[in-house]
Amino acid sequence: MNQKILSYTANQKTFHIQHTEIMRGVFAPNKTLANALLRPNGLEFLVNQSDFFNNGHTLYIDFADEIPGSIMNEDFARYCSWPYFNDKIKKSFKSIQSNAYSYGLKRGAPFGIPLEINPPLTDQTQISAIGIYKDEEFLVLEILGIDNITPPFYELQYMHNSIKKYIYTEKTKKKRLSNQEKQEDYILNEKDGERSREDTNQPAMDLDPIQIAFRHSTVVTRIPKQV
């Protein structure tokens, strides 16, 4: 499979980073954002409504329902808002899908389409990585962290369907009556060969997420929806 590689020189050393590793390290901390990479205007489908107020220091954003509630937390809201409201970063995010589409139209895809990104990194960005170093050249194998990222806001207020505000009343609880008169015992999978079994030999691996450090702290507030 073809791979695009970014090469640059810093401090008299040459660094080589695969484009796919830049995408994974910068734009794909979870499955939701990874799927949005190859979707036209993928970031737009993750946000229902947004607005700046308080002289541009405070951002309000209403996230779409397709974002799972299991990942909808302050870290995701802060991280997702960064590429959405930074024009340079957003342009780099969109370049992945546009480059893949353009490559497919011009050359076809008999052996797959090599993913290519217009790098969003600047001279002030600091990257922590592991790789192979030899003869003043460094091949990056995995990006561990990115530092010195500047979000375009100081306060973030976000809303999502998973954040609900429950209003309690003193009324009696509703009860649902069952039409079944008596309990019955059911036997599932009587045959031993058809019973489901737990695969205890399946390997499990926990991977640490990439560390993203913003230049200034952000106050994040959850806004619940009334139920």
Side-chain angles (χ1 to χ4, degrees), residues 17-57:
I17 310 177
Q18 297 183 34
H19 281 225
T20 52
E21 180 58 21
I22 299 176
M23 300 174 198
R24 183 203 68 82
V26 180
F27 291 136
N30 51 60
K31 181 180 178 181
T32 300
L33 285 175
N35 291 338
L37 287 175
L38 294 177
R39 186 179 184 182
N41 297 319
L43 285 176
E44 306 296 337
F45 290 97
L46 300 180
V47 176
N48 292 330
Q49 183 182 1
S50 62
D51 191 18
F52 276 98
F53 58 96
N54 192 19
N55 295 326
H57 290 277

Side-chain angles (χ1 to χ4, degrees), residues 122 124-125 147-151 213-217:
T122 63
Q124 298 178 349
T125 304
D147 196 3
N148 223 11
I149 292 179
T150 304
F214 293 95
R215 183 174 298 180
H216 59 257
S217 60

Side-chain angles (χ1 to χ4, degrees), residues 190-201:
E190 292 182 348
K191 299 180 181 180
D192 293 339
E194 298 180 358
R195 293 180 181 177
S196 59
R197 293 177 296 177
E198 180 182 0
D199 186 3
T200 58
N201 297 321

Side-chain angles (χ1 to χ4, degrees), residues 58-219:
T58 303
L59 167 65
Y60 163 79
I61 184 169
D62 181 11
F63 287 101
D65 298 344
E66 68 178 71
I67 300 177
S70 58
I71 67 171
M72 192 66 254
N73 52 34
E74 294 183 2
D75 292 334
F76 177 86
R78 185 186 296 107
Y79 185 85
C80 186
S81 302
W82 166 59
Y84 189 87
F85 292 97
N86 187 307
D87 293 337
K88 183 177 181 179
I89 305 300
K90 192 174 187 178
K91 184 178 180 180
S92 177
F93 190 100
K94 291 182 176 181
S95 70
I96 301 172
Q97 188 276 333
S98 60
N99 289 337
Y101 183 77
S102 177
Y103 185 96
L105 287 179
K106 294 179 180 178
R107 306 182 185 181
F111 304 103
I113 298 178
L115 297 181
E116 183 178 2
I117 182 177
N118 300 337
L121 307 180
T122 63
D123 296 337
Q124 298 178 349
T125 304
Q126 300 177 1
I127 300 177
S128 300
I130 58 175
I132 302 174
Y133 179 74
K134 183 179 181 181
D135 297 334
E136 302 299 325
E137 294 194 7
F138 188 84
L139 174 62
V140 175
L141 300 179
E142 181 181 0
I143 297 177
L144 302 179
I146 302 177
D147 196 3
N148 223 11
I149 292 179
T150 304
F153 48 83
Y154 288 86
E155 183 178 357
L156 173 63
Q157 299 179 2
Y158 73 96
M159 179 180 293
H160 186 258
N161 269 345
S162 62
I163 309 172
K164 296 180 173 60
K165 180 179 181 180
Y166 293 91
I167 301 177
Y168 297 94
T169 64
E170 297 180 355
K171 296 181 180 179
T172 57
K173 295 183 179 180
K174 295 182 180 180
K175 297 181 179 180
R176 179 179 297 177
L177 300 179
S178 175
N179 295 327
Q180 188 173 355
E181 297 180 357
K182 60 179 181 179
Q183 296 182 352
E184 298 181 4
D185 295 332
Y186 297 92
I187 300 177
L188 302 178
N189 296 332
E190 292 182 348
K191 299 180 181 180
D192 293 339
E194 298 180 358
R195 293 180 181 177
S196 59
R197 293 177 296 177
E198 180 182 0
D199 186 3
T200 58
N201 297 321
Q202 183 176 0
M205 181 180 298
D206 294 331
L207 299 178
D208 295 331
I210 184 174
Q211 301 297 318
I212 303 294
F214 293 95
R215 183 174 298 180
H216 59 257
S217 60
T218 303
V219 179

